[in-house]
Amino acid sequence: MRITGVSAYRIELPLHEGSYKWSGGNSVEVFDSTVVGIHSDAGISGYGEICPLGPAYLPAYAAGARTGIAEVAPHLLGMDPTELQVMNRRMDQVLRGHPYVKSALDMACWDLLGKASGQPVAVLLGGRYGDDFPLYRAISQDAPDEMADKVGLYRSQGYTKFQLKVGGNPDTDIARIHAAAAKLKTGDVLIADANTGWTQHQAIRVADAVRDVDVYLEQPCLHYEECLAVRQHSNRPFVLDEVIDDVHMVLRGYADRAMDVINLKISKVGGLTKARQIRDLCVSLGIAMTIEDTWGGDIITAAIAHLAHSTPPELLLSATDFNSYVTVSIAEGAPQRTNGRLTSSTGPGLGIQPRMDVLGEPVLRIGMA
Ligand code: MG
């Protein structure tokens, strides 16, 4: 099979709740997502998606994704899209860094491999564990009582794992964590995600104030060394997210005992191929994972489902169903949350069919696309 063309589409994904707020005064109202199609001489196409969490979360932004795809895609024409490692090596040779640019291209190749082989991506990633897997719900930054009330609302939708967006004023954040923890029931999991928003001394104050609260602390500070100092001071389970962007950082964090859990986002590490490598390494090392992406619609939710479902359950803390947060459906066949849990498609590839009427005209065509 050879790649004959690459197309890209821009799609806006508004939020059901109007906006999503996290540390540093950051918020997004409408997500800017990009869908990539990779077309082959076998007459089948694969699809992938990249949706940064705005331009201020990671070194990634939506227009940059499209510019990067236009840069990389011409170098992929004529290659066999089912040879994932060869494809990734080529992408890394023609564009250094920019992992998020390569994520949708890699995801589309996995979709093609699955369609060509008649296998779901979850099977190609190692096989399914059980019928389904748990999801977490992010609780947008708000007043402590408002955030605590969301625990009950989201539990009524089936969720049992709740991620509070903190990383603001530490006194307010301490109140947020206590208010939300008071609403927990047995079996619930609470994660306080600062998204790099605290300085080290602020984070240590918060860690001290929640020593007796059943809460995980996630990515308190911007730099790895600051997070490590907080980790060494805290007695709470500890999650690293933003600083874990490749396999080297996983190994460094493991050597330092810097975390109990990582948040593995597909586009942060450059696609499913590299996410699988990190996932498998974490399984061997005993590091648990939340598996997700920066944001996305139906295609990214499908990709998350395949990676999460093929992860041993004891090391999968949770995953995310981004397609339930947004008002627009971009593909048929995407997994839908049931009682706070998700299952991956059993159809070939990602198991989705893009809604071409929703995607509209491509913003990019390379080769015979
Ligand atoms: Mg996080």
Side-chain angles (χ1 to χ4, degrees):
M1 190 191 298
R2 298 290 157 197
I3 295 175
T4 54
V6 177
S7 53
Y9 305 81
R10 178 180 179 273
I11 188 80
E12 294 193 340
L13 302 174
L15 286 158
H16 283 294
E17 294 189 358
S19 70
Y20 179 76
K21 301 189 180 86
W22 70 100
S23 67
N26 289 300
S27 70
V28 170
E29 285 77 42
V30 178
F31 282 91
D32 182 345
S33 194
T34 301
V35 172
V36 167
I38 294 187
H39 313 290
S40 71
D41 61 1
I44 52 176
S45 299
Y47 292 90
E49 184 184 6
I50 167 65
C51 185
L53 179 48
Y57 172 64
L58 287 176
Y61 65 109
R66 290 186 284 272
T67 303
I69 289 163
E71 177 74 28
V72 172
H75 299 278
L76 307 182
L77 297 177
M79 294 190 73
D80 184 339
T82 66
E83 297 185 346
L84 271 304
Q85 300 287 359
V86 178
M87 289 287 302
N88 271 270
R89 186 172 148 99
R90 172 68 65 87
M91 290 197 284
D92 287 339
Q93 282 172 335
V94 300
L95 180 68
R96 182 172 292 200
H98 300 273
Y100 72 110
V101 163
K102 301 161 187 170
S103 186
L105 293 162
D106 174 76
M107 197 180 290
C109 290
W110 277 95
D111 190 31
L112 268 170
L113 174 62
K115 287 172 174 169
S117 63
Q119 295 282 359
V121 170
V123 172
L124 299 174
L125 290 171
R128 279 190 194 76
Y129 292 90
D131 295 329
D132 58 11
F133 54 88
L135 299 164
Y136 83 81
R137 181 73 192 200
I139 300 180
S140 180
Q141 197 169 98
D142 205 338
D145 288 347
E146 301 291 327
M147 293 178 79
D149 287 345
K150 288 281 175 59
V151 171
L153 172 68
Y154 296 144
R155 189 191 292 105
S156 74
Q157 299 171 2
Y159 294 102
T160 57
K161 299 169 194 285
F162 309 98
Q163 191 199 73
L164 290 180
K165 288 296 162 189
V166 290
N169 177 294
D171 294 307
T172 309
D173 286 333
I174 292 166
R176 287 173 171 135
I177 294 167
H178 280 111
K183 301 292 178 80
L184 296 179
K185 294 186 175 176
T186 302
D188 288 352
V189 172
L190 182 67
I191 301 149
D193 187 359
N195 288 115
T196 74
W198 294 323
T199 60
Q200 187 174 314
H201 66 93
Q202 290 174 327
I204 285 178
R205 278 194 58 217
V206 177
D208 271 346
V210 302
R211 291 189 85 84
D212 298 321
V213 178
D214 186 8
V215 63
Y216 291 62
L217 297 179
E218 180 165 336
Q219 190 73 41
C221 306
L222 182 60
H223 298 112
Y224 173 79
E225 290 78 7
E226 299 166 301
C227 292
L228 181 60
V230 178
R231 153 73 166 183
Q232 289 168 340
H233 182 82
S234 172
N235 65 348
R236 300 294 78 207
F238 209 81
V239 187
L240 287 179
D241 181 350
E242 284 87 334
V243 294
I244 302 293
D245 54 5
D246 66 9
V247 72
H248 303 279
M249 285 305 301
V250 175
L251 289 170
R252 186 178 174 194
Y254 177 73
D256 292 339
R257 301 294 185 263
M259 71 283 181
D260 307 291
V261 183
I262 67 161
N263 187 312
L264 178 55
K265 292 182 164 77
I266 294 169
S267 65
K268 181 178 64 177
V269 301
L272 278 170
T273 300
K274 287 172 177 165
R276 178 188 59 174
Q277 183 191 18
I278 290 174
R279 188 274 307 272
D280 290 345
L281 177 63
C282 285
V283 169
S284 296
L285 299 177
I287 298 169
M289 290 157 275
T290 281
I291 290 181
E292 58 166 344
D293 209 328
T294 45
W295 208 273
D298 286 313
I299 299 174
I300 278 174
T301 302
I304 291 168
H306 287 286
L307 185 62
H309 211 160
S310 57
T311 300
E314 66 274 17
L315 290 171
L316 180 67
L317 181 63
S318 63
T320 316
D321 61 325
F322 285 117
N323 61 349
S324 81
Y325 290 63
V326 300
T327 64
V328 173
S329 171
I330 60 170
E332 295 175 37
Q336 305 294 327
R337 183 184 76 242
T338 304
N339 199 27
R341 301 179 71 87
L342 206 64
T343 187
S344 59
S345 167
T346 55
L350 293 173
I352 51 92
Q353 284 303 320
R355 299 182 194 278
M356 303 313 294
D357 57 325
V358 175
L359 297 184
E361 285 299 306
V363 294
L364 179 71
R365 288 181 200 263
I366 288 166
M368 294 166 60

